[in-house]
Amino acid sequence: MRRRRLPLGILLPGGLVVLLASLAVLQYRWLGQVSEAEREALSRSLAQRAHEFAEDFDREISRVYFAFQLGEEPIEVDRPDVLEKRFASWRAVARYPELVRHVYLVTHEGGQPLLRRYNADRPAFESLAWPATLEPVRRRLAPDLDSIAGEAAGARPVVTISTSALIREVPAIVVPLAGHEPVSPTPGAGGTIRMAEARPLDMLVQLRVRHDTLVIELDGDHLKNVVLPDVAERYFGGGTAAQYRIAIVDGNGTSLLTRGLEPNVSLTESQADIATRFFGLRLELTRTTLAGEPPVMSWQTTTTARRGGGGRGGAAPQAATRSANSISILLDRATAARSEFVARVGSAGWLLLVQHAAGSLDAAVAEARARNLWLSFGILSVLAASVGLIVLNARRSERLAGQQMDFVATVSHELRTPLAVIRSAAQNLSAGVVHDAGQARRYGDLIETEGRRLTDMVEQVLEFAGLSGNRGLARARPVDPGDVVRDAMASTGPLCDEQGVALTVTMAPDLPLVDADEDALRRAIGNLVTNALKYGADGRWIGVTAERATHRGSAEVRITVADRGRGIDPEDLPHIFEPFYRGRYAVERQIHGNGLGLSLVRRIAEAHGGRVSVSSAIGEGTSFTLHLPAVEPDRSVQPLGEPAAGAAPHA
C-alpha cells in the first residue's frame, strides 16, 4: 500500500510552529537565568557601593583618631605644642578640615576627672567644668575611675587600648593616652633592643598605668550637612540617583538624610535591599605577643591618607599615602603577670539603607524580565502571525486556484455549448437541410441568441479584468439614474418575457444625478436582473426600484432588484460576492454561469464610490441594492426667479 505524503504547504508551517514553540520555551528559561544573574550582579554592585560608602565615611573618622593618637611625643598638660603639631598634621591631609570642633584633655587627679579644653589661639589647655554636651563622655570614662580605685586598693592593674572609642551622641572620639617614657638599651644588644627575629623596635615604651584621655569633639552639623551628603553624592549620585532610594538613620532611628523618597515616607531595614552600618573606626590593627627577654607586646597599625576628592561622582583623587606605625611595649615579668589587657571594640552606630526605585531589587529584576518577556514574545507573536498569514495565504491561494480551475471548466463548458449550437446550425444551413424561410429565420434567431450569449460572457470577463486592474471608471459623468435603469430594462425585459416572469419597475420622480459610467452601471443592473432570472425565476416576479435616500447625512440613490424565489442559503450568503464563487444550489442544478456576475456588480459599485447590499430569506426571495452617492448641487449658481421688491428693472 502506497503511503500518502503530506503536502509541503502543511509540513513547512507545521515545522515553523514547532520551532516557534521551542524558541518560546527556551527564551522563557534563558530570560529566567539572565534575570537571576542580573539580580546577583545588581546585589553585588549595590553591596559594593554601600561598603565603599561606609568605608569612605569611616576613613575620615579614623584619620582623626590616628592623627591625635600616634606620635613620638606624648600629649600632656604642659605640652600643648605637641597637640598643635598633630592638629596641623591632620588638617594638612584632611578632606574636611572643619570636622573637628574642640579638643579636650581629661586627666585624673585624686580619682576625679579634670577637663581642659585646647585653645588653638594661645595655644594652651584651659580648665573648665564639664559641659552638658559632654555628659555622655563622662559616663563613658566612669569604668576608668573604677580601675584607678581598684589599683589603689591593690587589685590587678588594667591597661586599656581601645580600637573603637566613638561616642556618637556628642559626637566625639575618645583617645586613651598611654603613659610611656624612653628606656635605655639593654647592654650587649648593640645599642638596640632586638627580638628573636632580629627585628628592631620602632618605638619602645615602658609600661606605666595612666588614664589620661584625649576627647575630640566633632562638629555634628558639619558631619550631617556636609560630610554625609558629599559622601552620599559620591557613591549614589549622578545617574544612580534616579535608580536608588537611600536613607541614613542614627542609632535611635532618627532620619539624618534621605534621597529619592517621598515626603513623610520612611525606609525601614526590612524594606531595604542593602543595610550597612557605619560611623566607626576602621583600624588595620595587628596585635602580636612575643616571648623572649625582655617580654614585649607589639601593635602594628596602618593608615591611608588621601587628599582631594575621590570615588564616584567626585573629583579625581590625588595620590594616596600609607603610613605604618608600630607600638611596642616593654614589660617586666611582674607587670606582665599582673596586668590585664582589654580591647574595647565598639559597633558602628549609623545605618545606611538602600532600596531600588522599583521597590526592591527583586521587583526591578522582575519588571525587567517581564519587559524582556513581552518584547521577546511580541517578536515571537509577530513570527507566529507571519506563519499564520503564510498558512492563510496558502489556503486562500489553494482555494483561489480551485475556483480558477472551476472557472476555466465552467467557462469552457459555457463556451462549448453556444459554439456547438452555432456550428450545428451553420452546418445545417450549409448542407441545405433548411428549405423554407421560416425555418431559416429560426436558425438565424438561434445563432443570434447564442452569439449574444458568447458576447456577454466575453464582455463580462473583460470588464471584470479591467476593474481588477484598478483602472477606475473611464467615462464617469453626471447621469440620470432613471434613464440608466430604463435602458437596462429595455435589454433585459425580453428575457423576462421569454421565461414568463413579470417585471415591475418603480422609480421615484425626484431622483438626483449620480456621477457614473453609464455602460458599467447599466451592466451592473443587468447582471442583477439576470441573476434574479437564474435563481429566482420560480417566483415569477422581479421588481426593480429606484429611490432617493440618505446615508450618514449624505444623499444617495438606491437601486433595488428583488425576486420572490427560493432565496440564498445562509452558508453561501457571505461568499456570493467573491469572484468565481458559485453556490451549492447552482452547482447541484447545473445552472449556467461563471461566478463573476455578482463580483462584477460589487466592483462596479465600489468604483462609483458606493456599495452593494443583499438581504435574503429562504422561501421568501432575495433583494440586491446598489447604493450610489448622489451628485451635490452647485449652490453657488442661483436659480432665476422673480426680482426682489425694490430692485431696479433691467434696461
Side-chain angles (χ1 to χ4, degrees):
M1 181 177 180
R2 187 174 182 181
R3 183 174 298 176
R4 183 181 179 184
R5 293 183 179 179
L6 292 175
L8 184 61
I10 297 178
L11 287 176
L12 183 59
L16 290 176
V17 170
V18 173
L19 179 60
L20 286 176
S22 303
L23 287 177
V25 173
L26 292 176
Q27 186 76 7
Y28 184 83
R29 294 182 58 185
W30 290 340
L31 283 178
Q33 297 173 359
V34 170
S35 299
E36 186 63 27
E38 182 181 4
R39 197 233 178 273
E40 293 296 328
L42 284 176
S43 180
R44 286 195 300 268
S45 175
L46 187 57
Q48 180 66 21
R49 285 175 181 266
H51 174 73
E52 291 177 358
F53 169 91
E55 192 175 53
D56 199 356
F57 185 91
D58 290 347
R59 189 180 294 114
E60 297 301 320
I61 308 301
S62 303
R63 186 176 293 133
V64 176
Y65 181 86
F66 279 113
F68 289 92
Q69 184 197 47
L70 300 178
E72 297 180 357
E73 298 179 282
I75 298 176
E76 295 178 346
V77 175
D78 55 350
R79 294 293 306 276
D81 58 312
V82 176
L83 182 60
E84 183 181 11
K85 293 178 183 178
R86 297 191 187 180
F87 212 144
S89 176
W90 168 75
R91 291 178 68 91
V93 298
R95 182 180 293 163
Y96 307 100
E98 305 300 325
L99 183 58
V100 175
R101 176 180 292 175
H102 297 295
V103 179
Y104 302 90
L105 179 62
V106 181
T107 60
H108 297 81
E109 299 178 9
Q112 296 296 327
L114 300 179
L115 184 67
R116 294 179 176 86
R117 184 171 62 188
Y118 171 71
N119 187 345
D121 296 333
R122 297 183 59 175
F125 288 105
E126 300 174 348
S127 299
L128 74 160
W130 282 87
T133 56
L134 295 183
E135 184 59 27
V137 178
R138 183 183 178 90
R139 289 196 303 268
R140 177 68 64 87
L141 296 179
D144 291 337
L145 299 178
D146 296 338
S147 66
I148 293 175
E151 181 185 3
R156 301 176 67 183
V158 176
V159 178
T160 301
I161 298 177
S162 175
T163 59
S164 179
L166 278 173
I167 303 177
R168 300 175 189 86
E169 302 95 314
V170 177
I173 303 175
V174 177
V175 181
L177 300 177
H180 61 280
E181 60 186 29
V183 176
S184 302
T186 302
T192 303
I193 298 178
R194 294 181 177 273
M195 308 310 298
E197 293 86 350
R199 180 173 59 84
L201 301 177
D202 299 302
M203 182 174 65
L204 188 64
V205 297
Q206 186 177 18
L207 182 64
R208 184 181 65 197
V209 177
R210 179 186 175 190
H211 290 274
D212 292 351
T213 306
L214 199 66
V215 178
I216 306 169
E217 182 183 4
L218 303 178
D219 190 332
D221 294 335
H222 189 78
L223 195 65
K224 298 174 184 177
N225 299 329
V226 177
V227 179
L228 262 183
D230 182 56
V231 180
E233 177 67 22
R234 195 174 304 137
Y235 293 97
F236 297 99
T240 313
Q243 188 176 3
Y244 294 106
R245 306 165 183 162
I246 67 171
I248 298 176
V249 296
D250 60 14
N252 299 323
T254 304
S255 178
L256 302 177
L257 177 68
T258 59
R259 287 194 178 183
L261 291 173
E262 298 293 332
N264 301 323
V265 176
S266 59
L267 182 62
T268 62
E269 188 171 357
S270 60
Q271 297 171 336
D273 294 311
I274 294 294
T276 301
R277 294 196 173 274
F278 67 102
F279 198 3
L281 295 181
R282 295 179 179 263
L283 311 181
E284 303 174 21
L285 181 63
T286 304
R287 188 185 72 172
T288 306
T289 302
L290 302 176
E293 291 296 341
V296 173
M297 182 168 288
S298 176
W299 282 264
Q300 177 80 24
T301 63
T302 305
T303 60
T304 303
R306 181 183 289 110
R307 296 290 303 274
R312 296 179 176 86
Q318 297 182 6
T321 59
R322 297 179 63 87
S323 60
N325 300 277
S326 63
I327 303 175
S328 301
I329 301 177
L330 175 65
L331 306 177
D332 57 56
R333 289 296 182 183
T335 304
R338 295 178 58 243
S339 300
E340 293 180 355
F341 292 88
V342 180
R344 293 180 181 172
V345 180
S347 61
W350 288 2
L351 187 62
L352 169 67
L353 303 175
V354 185
Q355 182 191 58
H356 198 278
S360 66
L361 285 178
D362 293 333
V365 172
E367 181 180 344
R369 186 184 184 213
R371 184 170 58 251
N372 292 334
L373 282 175
W374 278 111
L375 179 61
S376 301
F377 283 107
I379 296 174
L380 292 177
S381 299
V382 172
L383 294 177
S386 302
V387 173
L389 289 176
I390 292 174
V391 174
L392 181 62
N393 289 334
R395 296 293 300 274
R396 291 185 61 182
S397 299
E398 291 177 1
R399 186 169 62 251
L400 183 60
Q403 291 176 353
Q404 290 175 342
M405 293 300 296
D406 293 341
F407 168 74
V408 171
T410 301
V411 169
S412 300
H413 176 72
E414 294 291 328
L415 292 176
R416 187 183 298 114
T417 300
L419 287 175
V421 172
I422 293 172
R423 289 181 60 189
S424 176
Q427 288 175 358
N428 290 338
L429 289 174
S430 63
V433 177
V434 179
H435 299 287
D436 56 7
Q439 191 175 10
R441 187 180 304 109
R442 287 195 300 272
Y443 270 95
D445 293 340
L446 180 61
I447 292 174
E448 181 184 1
T449 301
E450 296 300 327
R452 185 174 64 249
R453 182 178 170 187
L454 283 174
T455 301
D456 290 341
M457 281 192 296
V458 172
E459 289 182 356
Q460 195 175 53
V461 172
L462 292 177
E463 189 166 3
F464 176 80
L467 290 177
S468 298
N470 295 324
R471 293 182 300 187
L473 301 174
R475 300 179 299 276
R477 62 183 182 86
V479 298
D480 185 355
D483 294 340
V484 178
V485 172
R486 281 188 285 268
D487 292 344
M489 295 304 100
S491 61
T492 56
L495 297 177
C496 296
D497 295 338
E498 290 178 6
Q499 299 188 27
V501 176
L503 179 62
T504 302
V505 180
T506 304
M507 287 186 293
D510 58 344
L511 289 177
L513 300 180
V514 295
D515 195 13
D517 184 337
E518 289 188 55
D519 294 338
L521 186 57
R522 188 182 301 112
R523 176 167 293 281
I525 299 173
N527 282 348
L528 291 178
V529 175
T530 303
N531 186 75
L533 286 173
K534 285 183 180 181
Y535 302 103
D538 52 350
R540 299 301 174 185
W541 177 86
I542 294 176
V544 179
T545 304
E547 60 183 351
R548 180 173 187 161
T550 302
H551 178 68
R552 296 180 179 177
S554 300
E556 68 176 14
V557 175
R558 294 179 181 174
I559 301 174
T560 303
V561 178
D563 64 66
R564 297 173 181 170
R566 65 177 300 277
I568 302 174
D569 293 331
E571 59 270 19
D572 293 331
L573 197 58
H575 308 287
I576 58 175
F577 293 109
E578 296 178 2
F580 314 124
Y581 182 82
R582 306 197 69 209
R584 183 178 58 183
Y585 179 78
V587 175
E588 292 175 353
R589 297 294 189 277
Q590 295 186 356
I591 299 176
H592 296 297
N594 51 28
L596 290 179
L598 293 179
S599 176
L600 186 61
V601 171
R602 184 179 67 175
R603 298 204 178 194
I604 292 175
E606 292 175 350
H608 285 81
R611 69 189 192 284
V612 60
S613 61
V614 59
S615 62
S616 180
I618 296 297
E620 297 181 5
T622 303
S623 297
F624 288 92
T625 302
L626 279 173
H627 303 261
L628 303 174
V631 175
E632 295 292 337
D634 189 357
R635 302 183 184 275
S636 63
V637 179
Q638 300 294 333
L640 296 176
E642 294 295 331
H650 293 285

